[in-house]
Amino acid sequence: MATRRALHFVFKVGNRFQTVHFFRDVLGMQVLRHEEFEEGCKAACNGPYDGKWSKTMVGFGPEDDHFVAELTYNYGIGDYKLGNDFMGITLASSQAVSNARKLEWPLSKVAEGIFETEAPGGYKFYLQDRCPSQSDPVLKVTLAVSDLQKSLNYWSNLLGMKIYEQDEEKQRALLGYADNQCKLELQGIQGAVDHAAAFGRIAFSCPQKELPDLEDLMKRESHSILTPLVSLDTPGKATVQVVILADPDGHEICFVGDEAFRELSKMDPKGSKLLDDAMEADKSDEWFATRNKPKASG
């Protein structure tokens, strides 16, 4: 499965201005591209909302070889209730630690050389106070699971991820598609995984020809398919095909055709200005709040 890539994690953000400040000024990421949409995504990329929304990709380098964050902003939605599903992103960056101290962003030391901090909305980040040993400082995404063995069967046996580490006593495992990619850490917890309203989505790419086979596999194994194979349009950019899955604990997983995604995800030198202009123009939250309600179920 070396042809599969870990791409990004999707965060729903209520305060776009403060969130951008955290990712850009504290973590030191750059805006890679910014896109505005007039209506909800066919694959629920922005969650269960049908109004205007935006997507901002931020990272330490191009999406071709860096794991990045997708900041999803639904106009008029100011906050999202957190669950216990997302347990944090770990990155190696002495610069991020230095930035946080300089900007007086709250840091809490959790181990020697490791600090915990939070993005607006309560999303946890773990900063290792060292220079990264690989080109991408983002090391791993940690998700909660209720049954580690069941999750390992899904992620490794069905989705083809390699198990790099496994600790039965601590109920954790580290998986990935390649040595030089961001890893997925599964951490067992007591009780059920609660996604609440702030639930995110982790994205991977694969050759486009594998998408129908992946969907068929999940059908045969009786696993959840949240969105069957569908084409998604981005104004002025490449159209991509995606399949949206859910693991045994309901974590949302996007698989996108790699060829078109590489075209879509090219860095836009105007991305930062587009974002800043959008934030400056965002003066009508109350108006949008009355029109951007969750989609009716069924």
Side-chain angles (χ1 to χ4, degrees):
M1 298 295 180
T3 54
R4 295 185 177 181
R5 293 190 295 137
L7 299 179
H8 56 257
F9 192 84
V10 180
F11 294 96
K12 293 191 193 73
V13 304
N15 187 323
R16 185 165 57 173
F17 183 84
Q18 282 295 323
T19 300
V20 170
H21 170 59
F22 173 79
F23 280 91
R24 193 158 52 180
D25 302 328
V26 178
L27 295 186
M29 293 183 175
Q30 58 183 316
V31 175
L32 304 172
R33 53 189 172 101
H34 176 79
E35 294 146 9
E36 295 277 336
F37 302 87
E38 292 301 319
E39 58 185 22
C41 173
K42 288 188 290 186
C45 307
N46 62 316
Y49 305 94
D50 59 8
K52 183 177 178 179
W53 64 289
S54 74
K55 173 199 299 182
T56 307
M57 310 303 290
V58 294
F60 289 105
E63 292 179 67
D64 266 1
D65 51 13
H66 289 76
F67 189 86
V68 308
E70 177 178 319
L71 310 180
T72 296
Y73 176 69
N74 290 294
Y75 283 81
I77 310 296
D79 59 80
Y80 301 90
K81 182 181 178 182
L82 280 175
N84 62 0
D85 52 345
F86 175 78
M87 300 186 73
I89 283 182
T90 300
L91 56 93
S93 173
S94 54
Q95 185 61 56
V97 174
S98 176
N99 291 345
R101 287 171 172 157
K102 181 179 179 181
L103 295 169
E104 298 183 346
W105 196 273
L107 286 177
S108 175
K109 186 174 182 180
V110 294
E112 189 61 37
I114 303 177
F115 298 86
E116 177 186 301
T117 190
E118 289 186 2
Y123 303 111
K124 292 186 182 301
F125 282 75
Y126 295 91
L127 312 181
Q128 296 183 1
D129 191 7
R130 64 178 179 87
C131 294
S133 57
Q134 57 190 50
S135 60
D136 186 3
V138 183
L139 304 179
K140 64 182 179 181
V141 177
T142 305
L143 301 179
V145 298
S146 60
D147 185 324
L148 183 59
Q149 286 306 317
K150 185 183 293 186
S151 294
L152 283 174
N153 178 66
Y154 182 89
W155 288 94
S156 181
N157 294 343
L158 297 183
L159 293 185
M161 295 190 102
K162 175 183 175 181
I163 300 175
Y164 283 86
E165 299 174 12
Q166 186 173 350
D167 189 326
E168 292 291 343
E169 184 178 351
K170 294 182 179 179
Q171 282 293 289
R172 64 170 292 274
L174 192 70
L175 303 92
Y177 281 123
D179 295 352
N180 62 345
Q181 291 184 23
C182 174
K183 305 299 188 295
L184 171 66
E185 183 177 52
L186 303 177
Q187 177 61 60
I189 63 170
Q190 295 295 318
V193 175
D194 176 16
H195 297 277
F199 65 90
R201 176 182 288 179
I202 191 165
F204 303 90
S205 72
C206 67
Q208 185 169 308
K209 64 183 181 181
E210 292 182 10
L211 291 173
D213 296 336
L214 186 59
E215 183 176 328
D216 289 342
L217 172 63
M218 292 303 160
K219 287 178 182 177
R220 291 197 308 270
E221 296 293 331
S222 299
H223 282 290
S224 296
I225 300 172
L226 300 180
T227 304
L229 185 60
V230 65
S231 295
L232 299 181
D233 299 324
T234 298
K237 296 187 178 182
T239 295
V240 298
Q241 289 193 315
V242 304
V243 173
I244 311 299
L245 311 175
D247 81 348
D249 286 295
H251 291 291
E252 294 194 1
I253 309 156
C254 172
F255 273 92
V256 59
D258 189 73
E259 300 87 343
F261 185 78
R262 287 185 185 272
E263 287 296 315
L264 171 67
S265 62
K266 287 181 178 178
M267 185 175 176
D268 183 356
K270 298 180 294 184
S272 192
K273 184 179 187 304
L274 290 172
L275 169 62
D276 289 338
D277 289 348
M279 291 193 294
E280 179 65 26
D282 184 14
K283 306 294 185 182
S284 308
D285 279 357
E286 289 185 8
W287 188 90
F288 281 108
T290 64
R291 291 160 174 78
N292 202 9
K293 298 298 185 183
K295 296 173 185 173
S297 59

